[in-house]
C-alpha cells in the first residue's frame, strides 16, 4: 500500500510541475512578485525577441521541448543572472538618468533590451557582428549573417 501512495505522490508532483504557464511565478528577483502570469509571459517573449534567443538561453530546459518541462525557477545558468543585472541597468538608465533630463521629448524616449541588442544575444555594433561572421567564414558567412539580421 505504501508503494502505491509513493507512486501517486510522485505522479501528482510531476503533474503539478508540468503546467505552463504555472499558476504563479517563483524566484522573481527583479520583476515584481505580483506580476500577472500573462504579463510575465509577454515580458519574457519580449526578451526572446529583443535578443534573438529562445527560453533555454536563460532557463533550464531543452530546446524544442515543451515549456511545461522547463525549470524556470532554477538559477543554474549564468545568462539568467546576467539578464537580471541587465534589467537593473535598464531600470537605472530609465529611472535615474533619462527621467531626470531637462526638456525630455514627449512621449519620453526609454531604453529597452532591443535598444542595444537589436535581435542578437550579445549587444555588439552591426559592423562588429558582420566582421566576425566574415572572419569566421568569408563573404558567404557575412552575407548570410546580414540577411538573418535584416530579417529579424
Amino acid at each position: 500500500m505504501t508503494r502505491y501512495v509513493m507512486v501517486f505522490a510522485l505522479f501528482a508532483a510531476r503533474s503539478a510541475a508540468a503546467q505552463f504557464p504555472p499558476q504563479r511565478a517563483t524566484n522573481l528577483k527583479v520583476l515584481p512578485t505580483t506580476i500577472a502570469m500573462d504579463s510575465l509571459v509577454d515580458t519574457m517573449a519580449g526578451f526572446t525577441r529583443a535578443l534573438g534567443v529562445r527560453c533555454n538561453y536563460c532557463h533550464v530546459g531543452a530546446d524544442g521541448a515543451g515549456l511545461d518541462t522547463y525549470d524556470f525557477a532554477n538559477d543554474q545558468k549564468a545568462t539568467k543572472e546576467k539578464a537580471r543585472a541587465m534589467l537593473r541597468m535598464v531600470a537605472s538608465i530609465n529611472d535615474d538618468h533619462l527621467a531626470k533630463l531637462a526638456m525630455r521629448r514627449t512621449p519620453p524616449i526609454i531604453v529597452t533590451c532591443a535598444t542595444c541588442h537589436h535581435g542578437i544575444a550579445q549587444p555588439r555594433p552591426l559592423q562588429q557582428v558582420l566582421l566576425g561572421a566574415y572572419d569566421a567564414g568569408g563573404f558567404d558567412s557575412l552575407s548570410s549573417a546580414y540577411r538573418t539580421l535584416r530579417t529579424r
Side-chain angles (χ1 to χ4, degrees):
M1 184 68 151
T2 305
R3 181 193 290 180
Y4 293 112
V5 172
M6 288 174 43
V7 169
F8 178 74
L10 180 63
F11 178 75
R14 175 82 175 147
S15 296
Q19 176 185 347
F20 185 83
Q23 291 190 2
R24 69 178 193 87
T26 58
N27 197 26
L28 294 178
K29 296 183 178 176
V30 178
L31 296 173
T33 57
T34 57
I35 190 170
M37 189 52 62
D38 59 339
S39 294
L40 179 61
V41 171
D42 288 347
T43 299
M44 293 295 153
F47 296 158
T48 62
R49 286 189 301 276
L51 276 70
V53 298
R54 298 182 54 97
C55 300
N56 68 334
Y57 187 75
C58 293
H59 297 288
V60 175
D63 193 24
L67 293 176
D68 58 339
T69 65
Y70 277 55
D71 183 1
F72 290 104
N74 190 315
D75 286 339
Q76 178 181 333
K77 292 194 168 188
T79 48
K80 187 174 184 181
E81 192 53 43
K82 286 179 189 177
R84 287 175 173 148
M86 297 297 278
L87 285 172
R88 290 181 190 105
M89 178 192 70
V90 165
S92 176
I93 290 170
N94 287 324
D95 300 340
D96 300 335
H97 301 286
L98 294 179
K100 295 176 182 172
L101 290 176
M103 300 182 343
R104 286 192 74 189
R105 296 186 181 266
T106 303
I109 296 171
I110 60 167
V111 170
T112 67
C113 300
T115 303
C116 299
H117 282 274
H118 303 289
I120 55 176
Q122 296 179 0
R124 299 182 186 276
L126 178 60
Q127 69 186 39
Q128 194 177 50
V129 172
L130 296 177
L131 283 174
Y134 180 80
D135 289 344
F139 181 77
D140 290 341
S141 179
L142 177 142
S143 179
S144 176
Y146 177 79
R147 281 193 307 277
T148 299
L149 290 172
R150 180 83 176 158
T151 301
R152 270 196 221 145

